[in-house]
Amino acid sequence: AQRIGNLPVRTRIRSARRAFQEAVSTGDKDATDKAFRVFCSSLDKGAKKGVIKKNTAIRSKTRAAACLRALSA
């Protein structure tokens, strides 16, 4: 039962990650910023609910921020 409850949260995180990676590949700064915020929010919510570990969320956000900085530079 717990697995079924965690599934939508995991799906939301994966979808947000995919959207962020697609936005980075297009090179559109505004779309990438928005996708980054959505991705970070979904990671935070997943960590808060215990679906993913806190450090996993932090690590994913750090890697995404590095991609965002590389795009800006």
Side-chain angles (χ1 to χ4, degrees):
Q2 186 177 8
R3 182 180 164 278
I4 294 169
N6 290 345
L7 205 59
V9 180
R10 284 188 181 278
T11 303
R12 200 169 296 121
I13 291 170
R14 272 194 227 105
S15 298
R17 177 180 291 125
R18 202 172 302 118
F20 174 72
Q21 289 171 342
E22 286 173 8
V24 168
S25 65
T26 61
D28 183 11
K29 180 101 171 67
D30 294 332
T32 306
D33 280 340
K34 185 176 180 193
F36 177 72
R37 284 196 302 271
V38 171
F39 179 45
C40 287
S41 173
S42 63
L43 285 170
D44 288 336
K45 286 177 184 172
K48 186 172 115 181
K49 292 178 180 176
V51 176
I52 59 171
K53 293 189 175 181
K54 187 176 78 168
N55 281 352
T56 303
I58 292 169
R59 188 175 62 243
S60 296
K61 287 195 293 186
T62 303
R63 288 175 181 169
C67 287
L68 194 63
R69 278 195 303 274
L71 189 68
S72 300

PDB file of all heavy atoms in Angstrom, residues 21-57:
ATOM      1  N   GLN A  21      15.635  18.460 -18.252  1.00  0.00           N
ATOM      2  CA  GLN A  21      16.686  18.061 -19.186  1.00  0.00           C
ATOM      3  C   GLN A  21      16.347  18.482 -20.614  1.00  0.00           C
ATOM      4  O   GLN A  21      17.232  18.895 -21.371  1.00  0.00           O
ATOM      5  CB  GLN A  21      16.920  16.550 -19.107  1.00  0.00           C
ATOM      6  CG  GLN A  21      17.605  16.149 -17.810  1.00  0.00           C
ATOM      7  CD  GLN A  21      17.650  14.659 -17.599  1.00  0.00           C
ATOM      8  OE1 GLN A  21      16.906  13.906 -18.233  1.00  0.00           O
ATOM      9  NE2 GLN A  21      18.503  14.209 -16.689  1.00  0.00           N
ATOM     10  N   GLU A  22      15.074  18.399 -20.979  1.00  0.00           N
ATOM     11  CA  GLU A  22      14.658  18.837 -22.311  1.00  0.00           C
ATOM     12  C   GLU A  22      14.826  20.343 -22.456  1.00  0.00           C
ATOM     13  O   GLU A  22      15.243  20.829 -23.505  1.00  0.00           O
ATOM     14  CB  GLU A  22      13.216  18.422 -22.587  1.00  0.00           C
ATOM     15  CG  GLU A  22      13.066  16.939 -22.851  1.00  0.00           C
ATOM     16  CD  GLU A  22      11.623  16.492 -22.964  1.00  0.00           C
ATOM     17  OE1 GLU A  22      10.721  17.367 -22.981  1.00  0.00           O
ATOM     18  OE2 GLU A  22      11.390  15.272 -23.049  1.00  0.00           O
ATOM     19  N   ALA A  23      14.504  21.084 -21.403  1.00  0.00           N
ATOM     20  CA  ALA A  23      14.645  22.541 -21.444  1.00  0.00           C
ATOM     21  C   ALA A  23      16.123  22.928 -21.557  1.00  0.00           C
ATOM     22  O   ALA A  23      16.467  23.869 -22.287  1.00  0.00           O
ATOM     23  CB  ALA A  23      14.025  23.165 -20.195  1.00  0.00           C
ATOM     24  N   VAL A  24      16.988  22.207 -20.870  1.00  0.00           N
ATOM     25  CA  VAL A  24      18.429  22.480 -20.956  1.00  0.00           C
ATOM     26  C   VAL A  24      18.927  22.212 -22.368  1.00  0.00           C
ATOM     27  O   VAL A  24      19.707  22.983 -22.928  1.00  0.00           O
ATOM     28  CB  VAL A  24      19.217  21.625 -19.923  1.00  0.00           C
ATOM     29  CG1 VAL A  24      20.710  21.675 -20.198  1.00  0.00           C
ATOM     30  CG2 VAL A  24      18.936  22.111 -18.515  1.00  0.00           C
ATOM     31  N   SER A  25      18.448  21.123 -22.975  1.00  0.00           N
ATOM     32  CA  SER A  25      18.922  20.764 -24.314  1.00  0.00           C
ATOM     33  C   SER A  25      18.465  21.764 -25.370  1.00  0.00           C
ATOM     34  O   SER A  25      19.158  21.967 -26.365  1.00  0.00           O
ATOM     35  CB  SER A  25      18.470  19.354 -24.689  1.00  0.00           C
ATOM     36  OG  SER A  25      17.070  19.298 -24.802  1.00  0.00           O
ATOM     37  N   THR A  26      17.317  22.420 -25.154  1.00  0.00           N
ATOM     38  CA  THR A  26      16.872  23.438 -26.107  1.00  0.00           C
ATOM     39  C   THR A  26      17.659  24.729 -25.942  1.00  0.00           C
ATOM     40  O   THR A  26      17.814  25.486 -26.886  1.00  0.00           O
ATOM     41  CB  THR A  26      15.372  23.761 -25.950  1.00  0.00           C
ATOM     42  OG1 THR A  26      15.136  24.264 -24.631  1.00  0.00           O
ATOM     43  CG2 THR A  26      14.499  22.555 -26.216  1.00  0.00           C
ATOM     44  N   GLY A  27      18.137  24.988 -24.714  1.00  0.00           N
ATOM     45  CA  GLY A  27      18.942  26.186 -24.465  1.00  0.00           C
ATOM     46  C   GLY A  27      18.116  27.416 -24.139  1.00  0.00           C
ATOM     47  O   GLY A  27      18.649  28.511 -24.033  1.00  0.00           O
ATOM     48  N   ASP A  28      16.801  27.250 -23.954  1.00  0.00           N
ATOM     49  CA  ASP A  28      15.934  28.382 -23.615  1.00  0.00           C
ATOM     50  C   ASP A  28      16.063  28.689 -22.125  1.00  0.00           C
ATOM     51  O   ASP A  28      15.710  27.871 -21.280  1.00  0.00           O
ATOM     52  CB  ASP A  28      14.483  28.039 -23.968  1.00  0.00           C
ATOM     53  CG  ASP A  28      13.527  29.186 -23.711  1.00  0.00           C
ATOM     54  OD1 ASP A  28      14.009  30.306 -23.450  1.00  0.00           O
ATOM     55  OD2 ASP A  28      12.305  28.966 -23.785  1.00  0.00           O
ATOM     56  N   LYS A  29      16.594  29.868 -21.817  1.00  0.00           N
ATOM     57  CA  LYS A  29      16.898  30.230 -20.416  1.00  0.00           C
ATOM     58  C   LYS A  29      15.640  30.304 -19.554  1.00  0.00           C
ATOM     59  O   LYS A  29      15.607  29.773 -18.442  1.00  0.00           O
ATOM     60  CB  LYS A  29      17.641  31.570 -20.405  1.00  0.00           C
ATOM     61  CG  LYS A  29      18.011  32.055 -19.036  1.00  0.00           C
ATOM     62  CD  LYS A  29      19.469  31.793 -18.734  1.00  0.00           C
ATOM     63  CE  LYS A  29      19.927  32.459 -17.472  1.00  0.00           C
ATOM     64  NZ  LYS A  29      19.327  31.933 -16.280  1.00  0.00           N
ATOM     65  N   ASP A  30      14.585  30.959 -20.055  1.00  0.00           N
ATOM     66  CA  ASP A  30      13.357  31.118 -19.261  1.00  0.00           C
ATOM     67  C   ASP A  30      12.694  29.772 -18.979  1.00  0.00           C
ATOM     68  O   ASP A  30      12.277  29.496 -17.849  1.00  0.00           O
ATOM     69  CB  ASP A  30      12.377  32.042 -19.982  1.00  0.00           C
ATOM     70  CG  ASP A  30      12.901  33.467 -20.077  1.00  0.00           C
ATOM     71  OD1 ASP A  30      13.697  33.858 -19.187  1.00  0.00           O
ATOM     72  OD2 ASP A  30      12.524  34.187 -21.020  1.00  0.00           O
ATOM     73  N   ALA A  31      12.610  28.937 -20.000  1.00  0.00           N
ATOM     74  CA  ALA A  31      11.992  27.617 -19.820  1.00  0.00           C
ATOM     75  C   ALA A  31      12.808  26.765 -18.856  1.00  0.00           C
ATOM     76  O   ALA A  31      12.258  26.033 -18.034  1.00  0.00           O
ATOM     77  CB  ALA A  31      11.867  26.906 -21.166  1.00  0.00           C
ATOM     78  N   THR A  32      14.128  26.899 -18.937  1.00  0.00           N
ATOM     79  CA  THR A  32      15.000  26.124 -18.054  1.00  0.00           C
ATOM     80  C   THR A  32      14.841  26.571 -16.607  1.00  0.00           C
ATOM     81  O   THR A  32      14.790  25.743 -15.696  1.00  0.00           O
ATOM     82  CB  THR A  32      16.470  26.259 -18.495  1.00  0.00           C
ATOM     83  OG1 THR A  32      16.563  25.899 -19.874  1.00  0.00           O
ATOM     84  CG2 THR A  32      17.369  25.352 -17.701  1.00  0.00           C
ATOM     85  N   ASP A  33      14.749  27.889 -16.387  1.00  0.00           N
ATOM     86  CA  ASP A  33      14.545  28.404 -15.028  1.00  0.00           C
ATOM     87  C   ASP A  33      13.255  27.877 -14.424  1.00  0.00           C
ATOM     88  O   ASP A  33      13.222  27.425 -13.275  1.00  0.00           O
ATOM     89  CB  ASP A  33      14.515  29.939 -15.034  1.00  0.00           C
ATOM     90  CG  ASP A  33      15.905  30.541 -15.080  1.00  0.00           C
ATOM     91  OD1 ASP A  33      16.861  29.835 -14.729  1.00  0.00           O
ATOM     92  OD2 ASP A  33      16.018  31.713 -15.475  1.00  0.00           O
ATOM     93  N   LYS A  34      12.195  27.919 -15.212  1.00  0.00           N
ATOM     94  CA  LYS A  34      10.895  27.458 -14.723  1.00  0.00           C
ATOM     95  C   LYS A  34      10.936  25.953 -14.432  1.00  0.00           C
ATOM     96  O   LYS A  34      10.461  25.495 -13.389  1.00  0.00           O
ATOM     97  CB  LYS A  34       9.805  27.769 -15.748  1.00  0.00           C
ATOM     98  CG  LYS A  34       8.433  27.428 -15.261  1.00  0.00           C
ATOM     99  CD  LYS A  34       7.365  27.821 -16.246  1.00  0.00           C
ATOM    100  CE  LYS A  34       6.011  27.443 -15.680  1.00  0.00           C
ATOM    101  NZ  LYS A  34       4.959  27.505 -16.658  1.00  0.00           N
ATOM    102  N   ALA A  35      11.524  25.188 -15.353  1.00  0.00           N
ATOM    103  CA  ALA A  35      11.615  23.740 -15.171  1.00  0.00           C
ATOM    104  C   ALA A  35      12.473  23.398 -13.951  1.00  0.00           C
ATOM    105  O   ALA A  35      12.179  22.441 -13.224  1.00  0.00           O
ATOM    106  CB  ALA A  35      12.189  23.090 -16.425  1.00  0.00           C
ATOM    107  N   PHE A  36      13.515  24.198 -13.707  1.00  0.00           N
ATOM    108  CA  PHE A  36      14.378  23.980 -12.541  1.00  0.00           C
ATOM    109  C   PHE A  36      13.595  24.170 -11.249  1.00  0.00           C
ATOM    110  O   PHE A  36      13.705  23.373 -10.323  1.00  0.00           O
ATOM    111  CB  PHE A  36      15.570  24.941 -12.593  1.00  0.00           C
ATOM    112  CG  PHE A  36      16.481  24.856 -11.406  1.00  0.00           C
ATOM    113  CD1 PHE A  36      17.317  23.765 -11.229  1.00  0.00           C
ATOM    114  CD2 PHE A  36      16.499  25.857 -10.455  1.00  0.00           C
ATOM    115  CE1 PHE A  36      18.167  23.679 -10.140  1.00  0.00           C
ATOM    116  CE2 PHE A  36      17.341  25.784  -9.357  1.00  0.00           C
ATOM    117  CZ  PHE A  36      18.174  24.689  -9.201  1.00  0.00           C
ATOM    118  N   ARG A  37      12.795  25.228 -11.200  1.00  0.00           N
ATOM    119  CA  ARG A  37      11.990  25.481  -9.988  1.00  0.00           C
ATOM    120  C   ARG A  37      10.990  24.356  -9.751  1.00  0.00           C
ATOM    121  O   ARG A  37      10.806  23.903  -8.606  1.00  0.00           O
ATOM    122  CB  ARG A  37      11.272  26.820 -10.101  1.00  0.00           C
ATOM    123  CG  ARG A  37      12.186  28.008  -9.885  1.00  0.00           C
ATOM    124  CD  ARG A  37      11.414  29.279  -9.617  1.00  0.00           C
ATOM    125  NE  ARG A  37      10.495  29.609 -10.698  1.00  0.00           N
ATOM    126  CZ  ARG A  37      10.808  30.348 -11.767  1.00  0.00           C
ATOM    127  NH1 ARG A  37      12.030  30.812 -11.909  1.00  0.00           N
ATOM    128  NH2 ARG A  37       9.914  30.598 -12.686  1.00  0.00           N
ATOM    129  N   VAL A  38      10.338  23.875 -10.804  1.00  0.00           N
ATOM    130  CA  VAL A  38       9.372  22.784 -10.669  1.00  0.00           C
ATOM    131  C   VAL A  38      10.076  21.501 -10.204  1.00  0.00           C
ATOM    132  O   VAL A  38       9.582  20.786  -9.330  1.00  0.00           O
ATOM    133  CB  VAL A  38       8.637  22.549 -12.014  1.00  0.00           C
ATOM    134  CG1 VAL A  38       7.801  21.283 -11.966  1.00  0.00           C
ATOM    135  CG2 VAL A  38       7.769  23.743 -12.351  1.00  0.00           C
ATOM    136  N   PHE A  39      11.246  21.241 -10.777  1.00  0.00           N
ATOM    137  CA  PHE A  39      12.017  20.047 -10.425  1.00  0.00           C
ATOM    138  C   PHE A  39      12.435  20.086  -8.954  1.00  0.00           C
ATOM    139  O   PHE A  39      12.254  19.111  -8.218  1.00  0.00           O
ATOM    140  CB  PHE A  39      13.235  19.940 -11.348  1.00  0.00           C
ATOM    141  CG  PHE A  39      14.118  18.765 -11.080  1.00  0.00           C
ATOM    142  CD1 PHE A  39      13.605  17.501 -10.859  1.00  0.00           C
ATOM    143  CD2 PHE A  39      15.495  18.917 -11.068  1.00  0.00           C
ATOM    144  CE1 PHE A  39      14.434  16.412 -10.631  1.00  0.00           C
ATOM    145  CE2 PHE A  39      16.326  17.842 -10.837  1.00  0.00           C
ATOM    146  CZ  PHE A  39      15.799  16.583 -10.619  1.00  0.00           C
ATOM    147  N   CYS A  40      12.957  21.227  -8.512  1.00  0.00           N
ATOM    148  CA  CYS A  40      13.390  21.361  -7.114  1.00  0.00           C
ATOM    149  C   CYS A  40      12.209  21.219  -6.159  1.00  0.00           C
ATOM    150  O   CYS A  40      12.327  20.587  -5.107  1.00  0.00           O
ATOM    151  CB  CYS A  40      14.087  22.703  -6.901  1.00  0.00           C
ATOM    152  SG  CYS A  40      15.716  22.751  -7.636  1.00  0.00           S
ATOM    153  N   SER A  41      11.092  21.792  -6.531  1.00  0.00           N
ATOM    154  CA  SER A  41       9.904  21.706  -5.690  1.00  0.00           C
ATOM    155  C   SER A  41       9.447  20.251  -5.550  1.00  0.00           C
ATOM    156  O   SER A  41       9.122  19.791  -4.450  1.00  0.00           O
ATOM    157  CB  SER A  41       8.788  22.560  -6.291  1.00  0.00           C
ATOM    158  OG  SER A  41       7.595  22.375  -5.586  1.00  0.00           O
ATOM    159  N   SER A  42       9.439  19.522  -6.661  1.00  0.00           N
ATOM    160  CA  SER A  42       8.999  18.130  -6.599  1.00  0.00           C
ATOM    161  C   SER A  42       9.977  17.275  -5.780  1.00  0.00           C
ATOM    162  O   SER A  42       9.555  16.376  -5.050  1.00  0.00           O
ATOM    163  CB  SER A  42       8.831  17.552  -8.009  1.00  0.00           C
ATOM    164  OG  SER A  42      10.048  17.526  -8.689  1.00  0.00           O
ATOM    165  N   LEU A  43      11.277  17.589  -5.880  1.00  0.00           N
ATOM    166  CA  LEU A  43      12.255  16.871  -5.057  1.00  0.00           C
ATOM    167  C   LEU A  43      12.039  17.148  -3.575  1.00  0.00           C
ATOM    168  O   LEU A  43      12.073  16.229  -2.747  1.00  0.00           O
ATOM    169  CB  LEU A  43      13.681  17.286  -5.446  1.00  0.00           C
ATOM    170  CG  LEU A  43      14.230  16.727  -6.748  1.00  0.00           C
ATOM    171  CD1 LEU A  43      15.527  17.421  -7.104  1.00  0.00           C
ATOM    172  CD2 LEU A  43      14.439  15.233  -6.658  1.00  0.00           C
ATOM    173  N   ASP A  44      11.804  18.416  -3.236  1.00  0.00           N
ATOM    174  CA  ASP A  44      11.584  18.782  -1.836  1.00  0.00           C
ATOM    175  C   ASP A  44      10.342  18.101  -1.273  1.00  0.00           C
ATOM    176  O   ASP A  44      10.341  17.610  -0.141  1.00  0.00           O
ATOM    177  CB  ASP A  44      11.462  20.299  -1.689  1.00  0.00           C
ATOM    178  CG  ASP A  44      12.796  20.996  -1.875  1.00  0.00           C
ATOM    179  OD1 ASP A  44      13.846  20.348  -1.669  1.00  0.00           O
ATOM    180  OD2 ASP A  44      12.791  22.186  -2.238  1.00  0.00           O
ATOM    181  N   LYS A  45       9.291  18.059  -2.072  1.00  0.00           N
ATOM    182  CA  LYS A  45       8.060  17.414  -1.619  1.00  0.00           C
ATOM    183  C   LYS A  45       8.270  15.916  -1.416  1.00  0.00           C
ATOM    184  O   LYS A  45       7.775  15.326  -0.450  1.00  0.00           O
ATOM    185  CB  LYS A  45       6.932  17.664  -2.619  1.00  0.00           C
ATOM    186  CG  LYS A  45       6.405  19.075  -2.568  1.00  0.00           C
ATOM    187  CD  LYS A  45       5.345  19.319  -3.628  1.00  0.00           C
ATOM    188  CE  LYS A  45       4.921  20.780  -3.613  1.00  0.00           C
ATOM    189  NZ  LYS A  45       4.048  21.108  -4.738  1.00  0.00           N
ATOM    190  N   GLY A  46       9.011  15.299  -2.338  1.00  0.00           N
ATOM    191  CA  GLY A  46       9.305  13.873  -2.205  1.00  0.00           C
ATOM    192  C   GLY A  46      10.132  13.578  -0.966  1.00  0.00           C
ATOM    193  O   GLY A  46       9.898  12.599  -0.267  1.00  0.00           O
ATOM    194  N   ALA A  47      11.107  14.443  -0.685  1.00  0.00           N
ATOM    195  CA  ALA A  47      11.947  14.248   0.500  1.00  0.00           C
ATOM    196  C   ALA A  47      11.138  14.466   1.771  1.00  0.00           C
ATOM    197  O   ALA A  47      11.317  13.753   2.766  1.00  0.00           O
ATOM    198  CB  ALA A  47      13.131  15.204   0.458  1.00  0.00           C
ATOM    199  N   LYS A  48      10.257  15.438   1.744  1.00  0.00           N
ATOM    200  CA  LYS A  48       9.439  15.732   2.919  1.00  0.00           C
ATOM    201  C   LYS A  48       8.512  14.564   3.252  1.00  0.00           C
ATOM    202  O   LYS A  48       8.298  14.231   4.422  1.00  0.00           O
ATOM    203  CB  LYS A  48       8.615  16.999   2.666  1.00  0.00           C
ATOM    204  CG  LYS A  48       7.841  17.496   3.866  1.00  0.00           C
ATOM    205  CD  LYS A  48       7.230  18.835   3.572  1.00  0.00           C
ATOM    206  CE  LYS A  48       5.741  18.705   3.581  1.00  0.00           C
ATOM    207  NZ  LYS A  48       5.033  19.939   3.288  1.00  0.00           N
ATOM    208  N   LYS A  49       7.983  13.912   2.204  1.00  0.00           N
ATOM    209  CA  LYS A  49       7.072  12.793   2.417  1.00  0.00           C
ATOM    210  C   LYS A  49       7.813  11.481   2.677  1.00  0.00           C
ATOM    211  O   LYS A  49       7.194  10.464   2.971  1.00  0.00           O
ATOM    212  CB  LYS A  49       6.165  12.627   1.194  1.00  0.00           C
ATOM    213  CG  LYS A  49       5.193  13.766   1.034  1.00  0.00           C
ATOM    214  CD  LYS A  49       4.350  13.609  -0.209  1.00  0.00           C
ATOM    215  CE  LYS A  49       3.390  14.771  -0.334  1.00  0.00           C
ATOM    216  NZ  LYS A  49       2.608  14.710  -1.564  1.00  0.00           N
ATOM    217  N   GLY A  50       9.142  11.504   2.523  1.00  0.00           N
ATOM    218  CA  GLY A  50       9.919  10.303   2.783  1.00  0.00           C
ATOM    219  C   GLY A  50       9.982   9.353   1.606  1.00  0.00           C
ATOM    220  O   GLY A  50      10.385   8.198   1.760  1.00  0.00           O
ATOM    221  N   VAL A  51       9.585   9.819   0.429  1.00  0.00           N
ATOM    222  CA  VAL A  51       9.632   8.973  -0.759  1.00  0.00           C
ATOM    223  C   VAL A  51      11.074   8.807  -1.226  1.00  0.00           C
ATOM    224  O   VAL A  51      11.494   7.724  -1.627  1.00  0.00           O
ATOM    225  CB  VAL A  51       8.756   9.575  -1.884  1.00  0.00           C
ATOM    226  CG1 VAL A  51       8.865   8.767  -3.156  1.00  0.00           C
ATOM    227  CG2 VAL A  51       7.315   9.654  -1.422  1.00  0.00           C
ATOM    228  N   ILE A  52      11.840   9.897  -1.170  1.00  0.00           N
ATOM    229  CA  ILE A  52      13.271   9.833  -1.444  1.00  0.00           C
ATOM    230  C   ILE A  52      14.002  10.402  -0.234  1.00  0.00           C
ATOM    231  O   ILE A  52      13.412  11.139   0.559  1.00  0.00           O
ATOM    232  CB  ILE A  52      13.659  10.616  -2.730  1.00  0.00           C
ATOM    233  CG1 ILE A  52      13.275  12.081  -2.607  1.00  0.00           C
ATOM    234  CG2 ILE A  52      13.077   9.989  -3.955  1.00  0.00           C
ATOM    235  CD1 ILE A  52      13.801  12.956  -3.722  1.00  0.00           C
ATOM    236  N   LYS A  53      15.272  10.063  -0.105  1.00  0.00           N
ATOM    237  CA  LYS A  53      16.035  10.564   1.036  1.00  0.00           C
ATOM    238  C   LYS A  53      16.423  12.021   0.822  1.00  0.00           C
ATOM    239  O   LYS A  53      16.530  12.478  -0.322  1.00  0.00           O
ATOM    240  CB  LYS A  53      17.278   9.712   1.247  1.00  0.00           C
ATOM    241  CG  LYS A  53      16.925   8.307   1.695  1.00  0.00           C
ATOM    242  CD  LYS A  53      18.131   7.539   2.117  1.00  0.00           C
ATOM    243  CE  LYS A  53      17.693   6.186   2.667  1.00  0.00           C
ATOM    244  NZ  LYS A  53      18.821   5.394   3.116  1.00  0.00           N
ATOM    245  N   LYS A  54      16.633  12.706   1.925  1.00  0.00           N
ATOM    246  CA  LYS A  54      16.944  14.134   1.876  1.00  0.00           C
ATOM    247  C   LYS A  54      18.215  14.407   1.071  1.00  0.00           C
ATOM    248  O   LYS A  54      18.248  15.317   0.247  1.00  0.00           O
ATOM    249  CB  LYS A  54      17.091  14.671   3.299  1.00  0.00           C
ATOM    250  CG  LYS A  54      17.259  16.178   3.378  1.00  0.00           C
ATOM    251  CD  LYS A  54      17.295  16.652   4.812  1.00  0.00           C
ATOM    252  CE  LYS A  54      18.636  16.385   5.411  1.00  0.00           C
ATOM    253  NZ  LYS A  54      18.867  17.043   6.702  1.00  0.00           N
ATOM    254  N   ASN A  55      19.253  13.597   1.307  1.00  0.00           N
ATOM    255  CA  ASN A  55      20.515  13.827   0.592  1.00  0.00           C
ATOM    256  C   ASN A  55      20.393  13.551  -0.900  1.00  0.00           C
ATOM    257  O   ASN A  55      21.079  14.179  -1.706  1.00  0.00           O
ATOM    258  CB  ASN A  55      21.636  12.968   1.186  1.00  0.00           C
ATOM    259  CG  ASN A  55      22.182  13.578   2.454  1.00  0.00           C
ATOM    260  OD1 ASN A  55      21.826  14.701   2.808  1.00  0.00           O
ATOM    261  ND2 ASN A  55      23.028  12.848   3.140  1.00  0.00           N
ATOM    262  N   THR A  56      19.514  12.633  -1.270  1.00  0.00           N
ATOM    263  CA  THR A  56      19.275  12.356  -2.688  1.00  0.00           C
ATOM    264  C   THR A  56      18.667  13.580  -3.355  1.00  0.00           C
ATOM    265  O   THR A  56      19.055  13.954  -4.468  1.00  0.00           O
ATOM    266  CB  THR A  56      18.338  11.143  -2.847  1.00  0.00           C
ATOM    267  OG1 THR A  56      18.903  10.026  -2.180  1.00  0.00           O
ATOM    268  CG2 THR A  56      18.117  10.817  -4.311  1.00  0.00           C
ATOM    269  N   ALA A  57      17.735  14.222  -2.666  1.00  0.00           N
ATOM    270  CA  ALA A  57      17.115  15.433  -3.201  1.00  0.00           C
ATOM    271  C   ALA A  57      18.150  16.548  -3.327  1.00  0.00           C
ATOM    272  O   ALA A  57      18.210  17.239  -4.360  1.00  0.00           O
ATOM    273  CB  ALA A  57      15.969  15.873  -2.291  1.00  0.00           C
TER     274      ALA A  57
END
